[in-house]
Amino acid sequence: MSATIIDGKEIASTIHSEIKAEVEQMQQKYGRVPGLATVLVGERPDSATYVRMKKKACAEVGIQSFGVDLPEDVSQDELKKLVEELNADPNVHGILVQLPLPGHIDEEEILGTISLEKDVDGFHPLNIGRLSMKRRDPLFVPCTPRGCIELLDRMNIPIEGKRAVVLGRSNIVGLPAAMLLLHRNATLTVCHSRTKDLPAVVREADILIAAVGRAEMVRGDWLKPGVAVIDVGTNAVDDPTKKKGYRLVGDVNFEEAKEVAGFITPVPGGVGPMTIAMLLRNTTDSGWREMGEG
Ligand code: NDP
């Protein structure tokens, strides 16, 4: 058996087109477009790359982006003041503070300062709180976990009543992904570094979301035949045959898993492109909401 490959790149591209059409509609109806503010502190090359990719994606679909770059030694008060100014700016519908922030910054306070209505990353404590409660809807859901669920939905993979296993419990991926599955009435198990006999737990899954950051940890013989595998892991492993000297692999051994699974996301080209697509989605939703729709 060979799994159906879930083409995240293709699905994300479809979502970009849908959003582009919506933004044009918004422009025609209200003479305005959604706006995303990105705040980059310091000069981490990976963070700078992520912010650049997000701005580029905004430009492609017609979302206005406002980039603010701050020095590494910016004070807590200065950063907080900037977020408050962006909260008050009617052209900004989403505020994204690129993480991680430098060690001297209280990240929780900064994320909590972002207006609930502009929290397109979904990390505001109130949005996370609502996500964790039954019959409460957050205004925004964090982008990567939302992307995982969107992939299942677009592939018509049912969630309700299924056994779902999430590997990882981080605030940005594992935990919110687990909460989303619970909202969708899956029967859920969340695993972490202290879980005993991981292969036996994983073998129960009809849906597996892997977000541990351990290259190819999940082996083919850990999987139930037919399982839908969403591999969030993005791990660089040495590969002298590549120009960069490394290649990216997931948390799941793709070659083994594709012989057992029913569906599987590749790495790269699976969950990765969905994260930005969901950021555009959240920003556009926020735009509609501010204009009195949605
Ligand atoms: P974290 O390091 O924050 O969390 C890892 C989680 O995995 C923790 O809950 C940890 O358990 C658990 N874990 C670690 N080792 C094991 C193990 N051997 N067995 C079981 N559980 C284990 O990572 P993130 O959630 O931030 O990211 C996870 C992966 O997803 C990374 O590869 C990252 O690069 C990728 N990622 C990809 C994105 C995308 O857009 N495609 C976006 C964000 C992340 P414990 O809590 O006990 O420490």
Side-chain angles (χ1 to χ4, degrees):
M1 184 173 145
S2 199
T4 300
I5 308 299
I6 304 178
D7 187 344
K9 222 170 144 187
E10 177 72 34
I11 294 174
S13 159
T14 304
I15 294 171
H16 284 219
S17 305
E18 292 165 3
I19 291 173
K20 190 165 189 267
E22 274 183 47
V23 171
E24 281 164 13
Q25 222 184 321
M26 198 184 284
Q27 169 75 46
Q28 276 169 14
K29 200 163 168 191
Y30 296 102
R32 297 173 61 204
V33 295
L36 174 70
T38 52
V39 180
L40 175 65
V41 180
E43 289 175 7
R44 277 180 66 120
D46 54 346
S47 293
T49 303
Y50 294 140
V51 167
R52 203 168 43 244
M53 284 163 64
K54 288 165 186 174
K55 285 186 191 162
K56 184 168 169 265
C58 281
E60 279 164 12
V61 300
I63 292 177
Q64 195 176 5
S65 61
F66 305 87
V68 187
D69 293 353
L70 296 170
E72 178 84 18
D73 63 355
V74 66
S75 71
Q76 180 82 13
D77 285 348
E78 283 169 309
L79 182 54
K80 204 171 157 197
K81 191 163 160 275
L82 169 75
V83 171
E84 284 163 352
E85 282 166 12
L86 294 170
N87 282 342
D89 185 337
N91 293 317
V92 171
H93 299 96
I95 301 170
L96 183 144
V97 177
Q98 185 64 43
L99 301 179
L101 290 169
H104 68 280
I105 299 286
D106 177 349
E107 182 177 299
E108 198 177 344
E109 190 193 12
I110 297 299
L111 295 181
T113 303
I114 296 174
S115 149
L116 202 57
E117 284 76 28
K118 300 189 180 188
D119 175 38
V120 284
D121 247 348
F123 295 147
H124 189 290
L126 250 174
N127 272 326
I128 293 287
R130 285 185 185 170
L131 183 64
S132 310
M133 292 168 86
K134 196 175 171 187
R135 294 197 199 92
R136 298 276 200 288
D137 285 323
L139 282 177
F140 299 100
V141 172
C143 300
T144 302
R146 186 175 180 186
C148 295
I149 303 297
E150 189 74 25
L151 286 175
L152 294 170
D153 286 344
R154 298 243 172 186
M155 297 300 291
N156 297 314
I157 297 165
I159 301 175
E160 181 158 327
K162 298 295 177 188
R163 297 295 296 257
V165 172
V166 177
L167 301 184
R169 56 176 168 180
S170 73
N171 289 333
I172 60 165
V173 191
L175 213 60
M179 292 305 128
L180 283 172
L181 288 164
L182 211 50
H183 272 265
R184 295 288 298 273
N185 299 318
T187 301
L188 177 70
T189 306
V190 182
C191 302
H192 45 76
S193 63
R194 320 280 166 85
T195 300
K196 300 262 182 283
D197 199 0
L198 206 53
V201 182
V202 171
R203 225 167 267 131
E204 298 202 336
D206 301 308
I207 296 169
L208 176 69
I209 297 187
V212 287
R214 299 268 181 270
E216 300 181 319
M217 183 182 84
V218 177
R219 309 303 303 254
D221 63 2
W222 294 23
L223 302 175
K224 186 204 267 191
V227 58
V229 177
I230 306 293
D231 191 353
V232 186
T234 312
N235 313 291
V237 295
D238 291 342
D239 185 344
T241 68
K242 302 280 175 200
K243 217 162 81 187
K244 289 180 179 164
Y246 68 88
R247 69 193 154 91
L248 295 179
V249 299
D251 290 340
V252 178
N253 184 311
F254 183 82
E255 287 307 315
E256 292 178 8
K258 77 173 179 11
E259 299 306 319
V260 187
F263 297 86
I264 187 166
T265 57
V267 178
V271 175
M274 293 299 286
T275 299
I276 289 187
M278 293 299 101
L279 176 66
L280 303 178
R281 180 71 270 158
N282 279 350
T283 305
T284 308
D285 289 349
S286 180
W288 284 122
R289 209 159 26 224
E290 192 256 324
M291 288 168 215
E293 294 192 33

